[in-house]
Amino acid sequence: MHGAPTPTELSTSASPLPRSMRLLERGWLSANNIVFLDDDHNASVVDTGYVLHAAQTVALVRHALDGRQLARIVNTHLHSDHCGGNAALQATYGGAAHCAVTVPAGELQAVNSWDEDALSFRSTGQQAAGFSAAAGMAAGDLLQLGGMSWRVHAAPGHDPHALMLFQPEVRLLISGDALWQHGFGVVFPEMVGEGGFAATRRTLDAIAALAPAAVIPGHGAAFTDVTAALERARSRLGVFEANPERHARHGLRVLLKFQLLQQPEGVACDDLRVWFGDAELVARTACHFWPTLTLDALFSETLDALLLAGAASRRDHLVCNAGPA
Ligand SMILES: [Zn+2]
């Protein structure tokens, strides 16, 4: 007698990845890395994790490459958890001349001039290591990865420049943070009143129209119950659309949690408060939604919400990550 298959076994048996692909499932601090064995000599990777995990990313990718040269890095979008391993991988595999980075075309110039005001790292108070990109990609482009043609699709919402990749024969979608099995990434422009919910809805509609057989998300395991995931995402989006303030509070909690994930040994509460006060995105969100609230009060509210949800714990003056991820 066999027990009921686990969700992983189910998704694997329903939609095995093509033999030329390896999914390196990471966590929430580092996005998943998707390795493509292009031929016997060369390989590519989509997304490279967070900079604090760069050494681990290099080791994992090197193992997956099985002696091949990493000839290309592709980023679905340029958030710190998706491109933080670019510099280390590029350095390991012969520099920009031998390991070419492809980024969303709208951010190519900002990357190559390393414009931290245009890129998101400074405003979110997150870390990154500079790299150079060889090319931009845009909706409609075709990328050759793992011996297959992948169509680039726009995925604005979470990030206005975000892109996703779809392989029409095997109907696989690499969604970045546009769709996870349970939700989607914070719609950052909405935190500062710039709009993004409508774009998020259009992106979810675009995914539904592609009708993928399986989705490889930026975080979490690959999944095949795409219709259910879309239903959950649309319902969550509806809640946020009805209450943008609730979404902004959620966004602040996500940013604070990201700080905790970076420091498994815990963070001094005072240091966390300093980070909160220094992050430009936090200040702009506060200004947009709660102009009369002090940053101290907003910090306490945000931290209390994480503690109450069991997503953080407190030991004397230290705040530690807790709960899943
Ligand atoms: Zn992400």
Side-chain angles (χ1 to χ4, degrees):
M1 274 284 289
H2 295 284
T6 65
T8 313
E9 284 165 341
L10 269 180
S11 65
T12 307
S13 61
S15 175
L17 290 184
R19 291 166 62 89
S20 62
M21 287 178 73
R22 307 274 185 279
L23 169 59
L24 308 180
E25 193 186 327
R26 307 293 293 275
W28 288 99
L29 188 60
S30 277
N32 292 339
N33 319 130
I34 303 138
V35 171
F36 292 88
L37 308 179
D38 296 327
D39 55 37
D40 289 345
H41 307 289
N42 292 300
S44 307
V45 65
V46 173
D47 288 343
T48 64
Y50 190 58
V51 67
L52 292 183
H53 287 166
Q56 187 187 43
T57 300
V58 170
L60 289 168
V61 169
R62 182 187 284 131
H63 183 258
L65 295 193
D66 200 16
R68 291 172 181 80
Q69 162 71 21
L70 184 68
R72 176 142 76 158
I73 296 169
V74 177
N75 294 121
T76 57
H77 59 298
L78 293 182
H79 286 172
S80 64
D81 56 326
H82 291 253
C83 65
N86 284 18
L89 283 169
Q90 227 177 11
T92 304
Y93 286 96
H98 299 279
C99 180
V101 176
T102 301
V103 299
E107 296 198 288
L108 182 60
Q109 207 186 341
V111 164
N112 285 338
S113 54
W114 205 250
D115 179 351
E116 294 216 358
D117 288 322
L119 300 166
S120 64
F121 316 123
R122 181 176 293 159
S123 72
T124 54
Q126 296 172 3
Q127 301 174 49
F131 60 91
S132 63
M137 59 176 177
D141 288 353
L142 273 179
L143 297 186
Q144 293 301 318
L145 296 167
M148 297 171 283
S149 291
W150 294 75
R151 179 76 67 186
V152 178
H153 291 265
H158 170 63
D159 177 276
H161 299 287
L163 298 168
M164 49 194 182
L165 306 175
F166 184 66
Q167 209 300 321
E169 279 94 43
V170 290
R171 292 176 42 228
L172 262 184
L173 178 73
I174 295 174
S175 63
D177 290 345
L179 180 69
W180 303 329
Q181 188 162 18
H182 298 276
F184 49 84
V186 171
V187 184
F188 284 109
E190 284 285 348
M191 292 180 70
V192 294
E194 285 178 359
F197 291 147
T200 303
R201 191 163 286 281
R202 283 197 300 277
T203 294
L204 294 175
D205 290 347
I207 294 174
L210 291 172
V215 171
I216 303 174
H219 304 269
F223 57 91
T224 54
D225 51 347
V226 183
T227 306
L230 281 168
E231 228 167 79
R232 281 189 291 270
R234 283 174 168 142
S235 134
R236 191 169 173 75
L237 179 60
V239 170
F240 288 151
E241 282 171 326
N243 190 348
E245 200 175 316
R246 177 171 169 169
H247 169 266
R249 285 187 198 282
H250 162 69
L252 291 179
R253 289 196 297 273
V254 167
L255 287 171
L256 198 60
K257 173 86 172 174
F258 196 82
Q259 293 303 306
L260 300 179
L261 286 167
Q262 288 183 56
Q263 298 170 81
E265 68 288 355
V267 194
C269 193
D270 288 347
D271 291 347
L272 206 53
R273 163 69 187 87
V274 168
W275 168 84
F276 194 84
D278 285 348
E280 184 198 324
L281 179 59
V282 171
R284 288 180 64 197
T285 302
C287 200
H288 181 70
F289 282 98
W290 311 284
T292 59
L293 203 61
T294 66
L295 274 181
D296 272 331
L298 190 58
F299 172 70
S300 297
E301 262 184 32
T302 308
L303 178 57
D304 286 350
L306 282 184
L307 292 167
L308 193 67
S313 65
R314 209 163 169 165
R315 225 185 312 126
D316 303 324
H317 65 289
L318 273 187
V319 182
C320 299
N321 181 49

